[in-house]
Structure formats: structure tokens, C-alpha cells
């Protein structure tokens, strides 16, 4: 929980946690590489992508995209 409290995007993590009724630590974990295991996790990931907090790497083209529609979730 301490990492969430001192994170640069802590306000977003708490807002998304409240929006999706999950712990802020879950949002933080998803933002830092945890796998999405549910549809709720996927929605959180899309919100994180929309806010440019996480970026997905496209290994085929060696670039990053800020567009969440570029990724399957």
C-alpha cells in the first residue's frame, strides 16, 4: 500500500479504484505490469491507457501506441 501512496499517479489510482470498486493496490499493480484476469481489470487497463499512464509495446513494429484500440484486452 505504501507504493501506491507515494506513486506519481496516486490520484488516478484512487479514482479508478473507487470507480471500479477495487483496491488502489490492484490498479497500481495493473499499471505496473500485472496481468488483467477479469473484464473489470481490462476496463481499468483501458482507462490507464486512455490516461497515458501505461503504454503497450508492439513487438512487431517496435513502437508504442497511446491508442487503446490498438490492443486486444
Amino acid at each position: 500500500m505504501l507504493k501506491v501512496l507515494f506513486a506519481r499517479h496516486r490520484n488516478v489510482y484512487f479514482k479508478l479504484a473507487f470507480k471500479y470498486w477495487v483496491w488502489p493496490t490492484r490498479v497500481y499493480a495493473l499499471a505496473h505490469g500485472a496481468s488483467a484476469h477479469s473484464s473489470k481489470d481490462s476496463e481499468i487497463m483501458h482507462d490507464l491507457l486512455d490516461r497515458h499512464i501505461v503504454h503497450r509495446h508492439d513487438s512487431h513494429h517496435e513502437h508504442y501506441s497511446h491508442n487503446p484500440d490498438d490492443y486486444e484486452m
Side-chain angles (χ1 to χ4, degrees), residues 1-65:
M1 183 67 163
L2 283 179
K3 289 183 179 184
V4 174
L5 294 176
F6 295 105
R8 184 173 74 180
H9 300 292
R10 69 183 161 273
N11 292 335
V12 174
Y13 299 151
F14 279 89
K15 285 178 185 177
L16 291 178
F18 182 75
K19 178 180 177 181
Y20 292 104
W21 291 95
V22 297
W23 290 102
T25 52
R26 181 61 186 153
V27 179
Y28 177 88
L30 289 168
H32 288 87
S35 298
H37 295 292
S38 68
S39 60
K40 187 183 290 190
D41 285 352
S42 294
E43 291 176 28
I44 294 169
M45 287 297 296
H46 278 289
D47 269 352
L48 291 168
L49 283 165
D50 286 343
R51 295 165 191 254
H52 305 289
I53 293 175
V54 297
H55 309 279
R56 291 291 178 193
H57 183 68
D58 181 3
S59 61
H60 298 291
H61 297 99
E62 297 298 322
H63 74 277
Y64 294 90
S65 174

